[in-house]
Amino acid sequence: MNATTVSPEILKTKQHFQILDGLRGVAALAIVVFHFMEMVYLPDKNFIAHGFLAVDFFFCLSGFVIAYAYDDRIGKMGVMEFFKSRLIRLHPLVVFGSVIGLLAFLFDPFGGDPGAYSAGKIALIFLCSILIIPFPVITERSFNNFGLNAPAWSLFWEYIANIVYALILSKLNRRYLVVLCAISACTLFYASQHAGGSLLGGWDGKSFWDGCARISYSFLAGMIIYRYNLIIKNKLGFIGLAALLLLAFILPYGKWNWLTEPAVVLFYFPLLISLGAGTMLSEGIKKLCVFSGNISYPLYMTHYMVIWMFMNYNIAHKPGTTELALVMGIGTILLLGFAYLVMVFYDIPVRKYLTRKRIQK
């Protein structure tokens, strides 16, 4: 179907599952705290050592939401219009995160060594970042796939999942989804064992394909929840589900990781999605859920510039426990404030502008 034949009604966003939006915000905040903590403490001393699993929760939620939002209309809107929708939703913050990441790389007051890289190489790193092409070359940043904005590794796989959804999964019978999901579960266990009993992979060159294993299972599981209507009616509400979600991130870190981490991803997160889609939302919590959902993506895509600076600050100054707690606490609050400003003055206006221009065409 040509873009000129698509009705603007087809392009409208469907009504959101607001509690799931709220849980996305909780997961985003948890991963910010995790990133602060992992720069200072080894996993066994980190109270939120499993905070990185928030990414797997995002993947599962994405599979559910994409299936809900597009299964019944992707045939009418066409693949290209679907891609445009996803680009408008995701890419403005990919670009913005790359820009502030570049500035932080060049002007970090606590350390870093941008002088070790030629202007041409820095330009290439930046270009790959805004085009979301993995380029793990920054040595002092552990050869991160996206050295200017580390969380972009998950956006890379999100784009891949969206492409596969549009071309294949949207047309696939749900029974075949179950088969693919079972195969993906096996690859997830393999990735965990291959990495020594942890799912903390996908972000660097060495563990690149772990990202594929992580999104494959979770995205498919989210789709299956929607396709089979595996929604569990309950009265837990947002607060109850937020507490259950946080439990996954603060599980004790130890010898059972090889089992607990895959179990959380394979069973616990899909269960929370099912419960979140079926629980009641009280009117008093509605605004909190909407705000939490709206700020989650800006927070996720803009926080890591501060994490890099915090890492260099910790190496250079070796602050005590009290100072660290103060810096991390204030840093988290400031990042929330910055994400809000980015959301209000950049993300929402840019997406509205692009959507308006698209409809006018």
Side-chain angles (χ1 to χ4, degrees):
M1 183 179 290
N2 294 327
T4 54
T5 66
V6 177
S7 166
E9 293 297 317
I10 293 293
L11 302 179
K12 284 187 177 179
T13 302
K14 283 189 176 182
Q15 183 176 349
H16 286 213
F17 287 88
Q18 289 168 334
I19 285 185
L20 293 179
D21 286 343
L23 293 179
R24 185 188 289 111
V26 172
L29 185 58
I31 208 163
V32 170
V33 176
F34 164 77
H35 282 147
F36 270 119
M37 291 291 292
E38 74 163 345
M39 292 298 175
V40 181
Y41 300 105
L42 293 173
D44 60 342
K45 302 294 183 183
N46 184 349
F47 79 95
I48 194 168
H50 299 285
F52 65 88
L53 293 178
V55 174
D56 301 270
F57 180 77
F58 292 150
F59 288 156
C60 190
L61 183 56
S62 178
F64 176 82
V65 170
I66 291 294
Y68 161 72
Y70 294 104
D71 264 8
D72 62 350
R73 59 179 175 145
I74 191 170
K76 298 175 183 177
M77 70 191 302
V79 170
M80 290 309 299
E81 290 301 324
F82 170 78
F83 289 154
K84 289 177 186 178
S85 294
R86 300 312 293 155
L87 279 169
I88 290 172
R89 177 66 185 97
L90 299 174
H91 216 74
L93 280 171
V94 171
V95 174
F96 188 86
S98 300
V99 171
I100 61 173
L102 175 64
L103 294 175
F105 178 66
L106 295 175
F107 305 110
D108 187 340
F110 303 111
D113 189 17
Y117 303 86
S118 67
K121 192 164 191 177
I122 292 175
L124 182 58
I125 292 169
F126 178 68
L127 180 64
C128 287
S129 188
I130 62 174
L131 295 178
I132 208 150
I133 300 171
F135 191 42
V137 295
I138 303 181
T139 307
E140 64 272 25
R141 294 185 172 182
S142 304
F143 296 99
N144 202 292
N145 284 324
F146 294 89
L148 298 182
N149 193 24
W153 77 265
S154 64
L155 266 294
F156 169 82
W157 288 111
E158 180 72 23
Y159 273 124
I160 297 297
N162 281 211
I163 293 168
V164 174
Y165 169 80
L167 299 179
I168 301 172
L169 299 179
S170 62
K171 306 175 182 67
L172 207 60
N173 185 285
R174 64 184 187 177
R175 287 174 294 181
Y176 294 113
L177 285 183
V178 174
V179 174
L180 289 176
C181 195
I183 295 171
S184 298
C186 296
T187 64
L188 192 74
F189 260 110
Y190 173 78
S192 174
Q193 294 302 310
H194 181 69
S198 175
L199 289 174
L200 181 56
W203 55 270
D204 67 340
K206 289 182 179 179
S207 66
F208 174 80
W209 289 106
D210 289 4
C212 183
R214 291 175 70 178
I215 197 169
S216 295
Y217 173 80
S218 292
F219 192 89
L220 288 167
M223 285 190 65
I224 287 169
I225 293 169
Y226 173 74
R227 292 271 183 95
Y228 281 89
N229 195 31
L230 301 177
I231 294 174
I232 303 170
K233 298 294 183 181
N234 64 93
K235 297 181 180 180
L236 286 169
F238 172 68
I239 301 300
L241 284 170
L244 290 175
L245 179 59
L246 288 172
L247 282 178
F249 306 142
I250 62 174
L251 282 172
Y253 190 95
K255 63 180 181 179
W256 293 100
N257 282 349
W258 66 272
L259 180 61
T260 56
E261 287 182 5
V264 166
V265 174
L266 290 172
F267 306 113
Y268 192 63
F269 286 160
L271 174 63
L272 290 184
I273 302 296
S274 297
L275 292 169
T279 195
M280 302 295 292
L281 177 62
S282 64
E283 199 60 34
I285 300 294
K286 183 176 180 179
K287 288 184 178 179
L288 175 62
C289 287
V290 171
F291 175 78
S292 180
N294 287 341
I295 204 172
S296 60
Y297 186 45
L299 178 63
Y300 183 68
M301 288 301 288
T302 62
H303 77 279
Y304 219 90
M305 63 163 184
V306 171
I307 301 299
W308 289 128
M309 289 190 285
F310 174 72
M311 177 187 75
N312 289 329
Y313 162 78
N314 182 56
I315 292 171
H317 297 281
K318 296 180 173 54
T321 303
T322 302
E323 186 178 346
L324 278 173
L326 190 63
V327 169
M328 287 190 282
I330 294 175
T332 301
I333 294 170
L334 291 176
L335 282 170
L336 279 167
F338 181 69
Y340 175 76
L341 294 176
V342 171
M343 175 183 73
V344 172
F345 294 107
Y346 173 79
D347 186 40
I348 292 176
V350 169
R351 287 193 286 116
K352 283 184 176 179
Y353 170 78
L354 293 173
T355 301
R356 186 167 63 250
K357 297 295 286 186
R358 174 190 183 190
I359 292 174
Q360 286 173 355
K361 287 183 179 180

